[in-house]
Amino acid sequence: MEFGNGNSMVPTLISVVLMIGIFYFGIIRPNKKREKEALEMMEKLAVDDVIQTIGGIIGKIVQVKADVVIIESTGMKTRLEIAKWAVKSVIKPGHRKNTAENKEEE
């Protein structure tokens, strides 16, 4: 019985390593980057920010708590309490100032 050449496993191994590399750099790494950006955005939420939720609700933040924010809709001034993870994006930052601007003023 002859099983063939020992070198026949090398191309297969290289293919598997390439597929794993493509999977990591194409899917896993970008997702981790997006998750990190989302966590940073959630930590920076502040009063007077105009936000959009994942459900499409747009409102202005009137209070920030540990895991929730209270937003006020524009029309009838309705207030909603939503989880921070449900914030999709900050449409318009509030009146807070950057640390670089604060240093320039001093």
Side-chain angles (χ1 to χ4, degrees), residues 17 20 22 38 42 94 104:
V17 169
I20 291 171
I22 291 170
M42 282 189 262
E104 290 175 4

Side-chain angles (χ1 to χ4, degrees), residues 60-79:
K60 181 176 165 183
I61 296 177
V62 292
Q63 187 177 4
V64 179
K65 297 181 180 178
D67 291 335
V68 296
V69 292
I70 298 174
I71 63 171
E72 187 175 86
S73 66
T74 54
M76 297 175 62
K77 304 284 184 190
T78 305
R79 290 189 175 197

Side-chain angles (χ1 to χ4, degrees), residues 84-104:
K84 281 186 176 181
W85 61 262
V87 176
K88 180 179 178 182
S89 63
V90 177
I91 297 173
K92 181 177 155 191
H95 299 291
R96 62 178 178 237
K97 297 190 180 207
N98 294 336
T99 55
E101 291 177 5
N102 290 338
K103 288 180 183 177
E104 290 175 4

Side-chain angles (χ1 to χ4, degrees), residues 23-46:
F23 185 75
Y24 176 77
F25 287 106
I27 297 173
I28 295 173
R29 193 166 178 220
N31 281 342
K32 285 185 180 181
K33 185 178 178 182
R34 274 188 234 115
E35 288 175 10
K36 183 179 176 184
E37 290 172 354
L39 286 174
E40 288 176 6
M41 186 248 333
M42 282 189 262
E43 290 173 1
K44 292 180 182 180
L45 290 176

